[in-house]
Amino acid sequence: SSQIHGRILHFFKINHMKVISLLLIILHLSLFTFSQSYTKKTPEEKAKKYTAEMAAIIQLEKEQEEKIYLINVQVSKQFDSLYASKPEKDMLRSSTISILKDRDIEYRKVLSNEQFLRFDDVQREKREKKYKEKLEKEKLEQGTKPQN
């Protein structure tokens, strides 16, 4: 009986270690995979994605798409250097506005008036949606705070 009991304990100790080892391996792999998914994109990768989104929204011609891509690469590089400098909130806001105004001037040289207005409408809708989501989040956070 004690031999059987000893063998059972030994079996569970070995399997227990195997389970812990397996869990650690899974955890390590999932953390590695997670960190890989958040690798910083290059300005070119971001510009390619953004240009593809624009092309889907405003039906760009091939030549327009190439020019918009180059503009988006420059904008992406400007934002990367801006964020790298870790500016204060007011500086970040004014710099962002300046970069986007310059970008829009360049877009107007490439896009038809109709395309630019459609793009501008979509951007405004995105900003409004983001702002509403921010307000909802703040409302929820205030609702969870204890009242004085």
Side-chain angles (χ1 to χ4, degrees):
S1 165
S2 90
Q3 274 187 334
I4 293 172
H5 185 70
R7 283 185 178 183
I8 291 172
L9 279 176
H10 182 71
F11 174 78
F12 281 113
K13 282 181 185 173
I14 290 172
N15 281 337
H16 184 71
M17 292 304 290
K18 285 181 182 177
V19 168
I20 290 174
S21 297
L22 185 61
L23 286 174
L24 287 173
I25 290 168
I26 291 169
L27 177 66
H28 179 75
L29 288 174
S30 63
L31 287 174
F32 177 75
T33 304
F34 182 75
S35 68
Q36 290 299 306
S37 67
Y38 279 99
T39 55
K40 191 174 179 194
K41 289 183 170 60
T42 67
E44 292 77 14
E45 289 169 326
K46 290 183 270 190
K48 185 176 183 180
K49 181 178 184 254
Y50 194 65
T51 304
E53 288 173 10
M54 286 181 69
I57 294 167
I58 58 175
Q59 288 78 43
L60 295 174
E61 300 290 327
K62 191 70 182 157
E63 187 180 323
Q64 286 178 310
E65 195 170 333
E66 290 166 4
K67 290 177 180 178
I68 292 292
Y69 168 77
L70 294 174
I71 294 167
N72 288 338
V73 169
Q74 289 306 311
V75 169
S76 187
K77 286 178 180 179
Q78 289 173 319
F79 275 118
D80 282 356
S81 64
L82 174 62
Y83 290 126
S85 69
K86 296 186 168 101
E88 291 179 10
K89 193 174 182 178
D90 290 342
M91 179 65 176
L92 176 64
R93 182 173 163 70
S94 64
S95 296
T96 297
I97 290 169
S98 175
I99 291 170
L100 295 178
K101 279 184 178 180
D102 291 346
R103 176 204 65 189
D104 287 353
I105 290 168
E106 294 303 311
Y107 279 177
R108 282 188 177 276
K109 294 175 185 175
V110 177
L111 303 175
S112 71
N113 195 45
E114 187 179 315
Q115 286 174 313
F116 183 82
L117 291 175
R118 175 74 184 122
F119 167 76
D120 197 45
D121 285 344
V122 170
Q123 292 303 301
R124 187 172 27 269
E125 290 166 12
K126 282 183 182 179
R127 280 192 305 273
E128 288 170 1
K129 182 180 176 188
K130 196 173 179 180
Y131 181 70
K132 284 180 185 175
E133 288 171 355
K134 182 183 173 193
L135 288 179
E136 286 297 316
K137 184 179 175 190
E138 287 172 359
K139 201 186 269 187
L140 285 173
E141 286 173 355
Q142 287 182 354
T144 60
K145 291 179 183 174
Q147 300 296 319
N148 289 340

